[in-house]
Amino acid sequence: MDITFPAFMANLPDHSVPDQNDYIVTLEGLARLSVEKAISDTLVRRLLSKLETVLQHDGQASYAQALFSTIEYVLDRRDLATDSNLSYYHEKIVVVYVCRAALASVGSGPKALIEPDTLEILGRLAGRIIHALDEHKRRSVAVETYTLFTPEGTSFNSVIYRQGSSEEHRRTMILSTWMLASAGQAADALYTVADDVKFDSLLNELTRLALVETIPLIRHYMLKQIALLVNRSSTSQGLSVALHVMFNPFQAAQVDPTSSTDVTHIVFWIAKALLLRLAHIREVLDHLLGLLADNSCGSASARGFALLLAPDEMLSKRYGGNIRLLAKQKVFSICVPRIAADFRAAEANLKPNYLIALSGILKDIPTEVTMTEIATMLPLLLQSLDLPDQAVKAATIESLAVISQESPEAVESHISSLVNRLLQAASKPAENIPRVRFNALRCLQIFSGKIKDSVLLPYRPGIIKGLLPMLDDPKRNVRKMAVECRATWTNMDEPE
């Protein structure tokens, strides 16, 4: 180790040449050596020193990103909460580099620090460290969420409550979001300690910023900030404010409705924050389901349902989120019967919205919960297979595979429709993505092991013939599944 470690460090250049990334192999080797605490302590310090050299030489952003990623990898394997070097990491990584990135956003620092990928990696690294701090220090971090540790008198100003910020300046909201998330419940210091920031005005301001933001990545982090604030709100008044913003985002933000077409994102992120804590659940879901019948925003709203229960690293218990155990069951039990009823009454051009919404919900629902509404869902799932949307089709087939394994008797009465639709989904590589083709074949294979042979035998000749084109599929895993599926159906026992 006395020879290997210095040799690896000596191989790291002081600056990187464009299109050359030999340093990645060296960093991977160093990361694997960091199994012992003494080595990892030294490695982090050496990497920080190398990072400083790279930034002084105005090195490539990709090199700085690789160094940050390696440090994150090393620290991820440590119990930072009990680490004697935690204060050092807080001062030398969080405070120093978050501040330098903020200054770089206004032209007073290395450009590599303000690249979007760099900010995301630095934000995640800072988040790991902040999360391990005690509550007192996390509250002091929360107060710096928008000032980003920059001293008074510098050229950096907070993005919030300002007009006309540059894109580079607005990118610092990536760091602000990670700081807000990792501070956990201590983040309320942002609007209980700071005199110029209050919960309702902050929520309205973030809504305004998100509505007028044109860069998707920056808007995404602004939306996450909104969700974090709402989900962690400790007062009923705060929840009422959030509900008002969700129902009237343009009014709350004092933004002209014609200036933004992105209102559904705000509605669904606030809804997600409220639903995960089971707050105002009926009001929220009634509003969201009502949007599906809207000709102007129904399609965008339908896709928003996939967000509601999807796991999120920041909006989680790890970072102090209010996540109730029964949230998924409650949302499912309210939404599925309502979607089924509204689908039957909807106009033909609006029916796909309900199918897309159902697919978005089902992908994150536990199997045992899904089984309670099989009779209601199956007719809708069958029609979802006819939609051109590949993500919806893939999620639908995966749901059908689970249902076929857990409750094959429910599938038997629909077998004719299913076989034809699955064969169509497994074919036509130009129309169906590999995930759809593979899972359609897998679902057909599951049928032969779960559904009675007497039900399947009438369809065997057509399926064996229909699977022939899939044997020449351009994707190897699809061809392999086609061979296995066809063999399973070919070997199906004839009745005695």
Side-chain angles (χ1 to χ4, degrees), residues 94-398:
V94 178
V95 176
V96 169
Y97 283 103
V98 167
C99 175
R100 290 185 67 180
L103 294 175
S105 73
V106 290
S108 300
K111 293 181 180 179
L113 286 178
I114 202 59
E115 288 295 315
D117 289 343
T118 308
L119 291 172
E120 288 196 281
I121 297 168
L122 174 58
R124 188 177 294 106
L125 171 59
R128 300 283 189 271
I129 297 169
I130 294 167
H131 178 63
L133 298 172
D134 60 48
E135 184 174 0
H136 174 73
K137 285 188 176 179
R138 280 189 281 116
R139 289 181 72 84
S140 67
V141 168
V143 175
E144 299 280 356
T145 296
Y146 297 111
T147 54
L148 301 177
F149 304 107
T150 53
E152 291 186 15
T154 61
S155 55
F156 179 82
N157 291 304
S158 168
V159 174
I160 60 172
Y161 305 117
R162 296 188 183 278
Q163 305 281 348
S165 296
S166 67
E167 178 186 337
E168 288 77 11
H169 188 201
R170 300 196 309 277
R171 285 180 193 167
T172 60
M173 292 296 273
I174 297 173
L175 296 176
S176 295
T177 307
W178 275 107
M179 289 171 62
L180 187 67
S182 55
Q185 294 295 338
D188 65 358
L190 176 63
Y191 45 85
T192 57
V193 175
D195 294 332
D196 58 340
V197 179
K198 300 301 178 186
F199 179 86
D200 53 348
S201 63
L202 177 58
L203 186 59
N204 290 339
E205 171 63 5
L206 288 171
T207 301
R208 181 190 71 80
L209 289 170
L211 282 171
V212 300
E213 181 55 59
T214 57
I215 307 300
L217 180 66
I218 300 174
R219 182 175 61 234
H220 177 70
Y221 278 92
M222 290 174 175
L223 293 169
K224 284 199 173 193
Q225 282 194 40
I226 292 170
L228 287 166
L229 285 175
V230 173
N231 183 258
R232 293 172 178 171
S233 175
S234 58
T235 67
S236 57
Q237 181 183 358
L239 296 179
S240 297
V241 170
L243 206 62
H244 171 71
V245 174
M246 191 187 82
F247 289 149
N248 309 282
F250 289 114
Q251 179 185 343
Q254 297 183 338
V255 170
D256 182 354
T258 61
S259 66
S260 173
T261 59
D262 200 42
V263 67
T264 54
H265 287 80
I266 290 174
V267 171
F268 276 87
W269 273 100
I270 294 177
K272 178 184 180 75
L274 292 170
L275 292 174
L276 288 177
R277 62 182 294 171
L278 294 180
H280 301 286
I281 185 166
R282 291 277 179 183
E283 293 172 79
V284 170
L285 290 177
D286 281 347
H287 181 62
L288 299 185
L289 291 166
L291 294 176
L292 296 176
D294 190 307
N295 282 302
S296 61
C297 66
S299 178
S301 298
R303 300 185 190 286
F305 277 81
L307 169 71
L308 295 179
L309 300 175
D312 186 271
E313 184 179 6
M314 293 185 186
L315 206 59
S316 62
K317 283 194 171 184
R318 174 180 182 177
Y319 285 130
N322 270 318
I323 315 295
R324 301 288 293 274
L325 291 175
L326 293 178
K328 291 184 177 182
Q329 289 90 325
K330 284 280 190 180
V331 172
F332 177 84
S333 64
I334 293 172
C335 282
V336 171
R338 171 77 180 273
I339 287 175
D342 290 355
F343 173 82
R344 289 190 290 270
E347 298 175 11
N349 65 311
L350 295 175
K351 285 183 181 292
N353 295 345
Y354 295 91
L355 301 177
I356 294 170
L358 177 63
S359 172
I361 292 172
L362 289 181
K363 70 182 180 65
D364 297 303
I365 298 294
T367 302
E368 58 273 18
V369 178
T370 305
M371 293 300 109
T372 61
E373 292 285 352
I374 291 177
T376 303
M377 293 189 304
L378 264 176
L380 300 180
L381 292 175
L382 284 171
Q383 296 187 61
S384 295
L385 290 176
D386 298 328
L387 295 175
D389 189 299
Q390 293 294 293
V392 172
K393 189 179 288 188
T396 299
I397 294 172
E398 288 163 10

Side-chain angles (χ1 to χ4, degrees), residues 11-16 50-51 53-59 63:
N11 279 338
L12 287 177
D14 288 341
H15 59 87
S16 60
K50 181 62 67 175
L51 177 61
T53 303
V54 171
L55 294 176
Q56 286 177 358
H57 285 81
D58 201 20
Y63 190 13

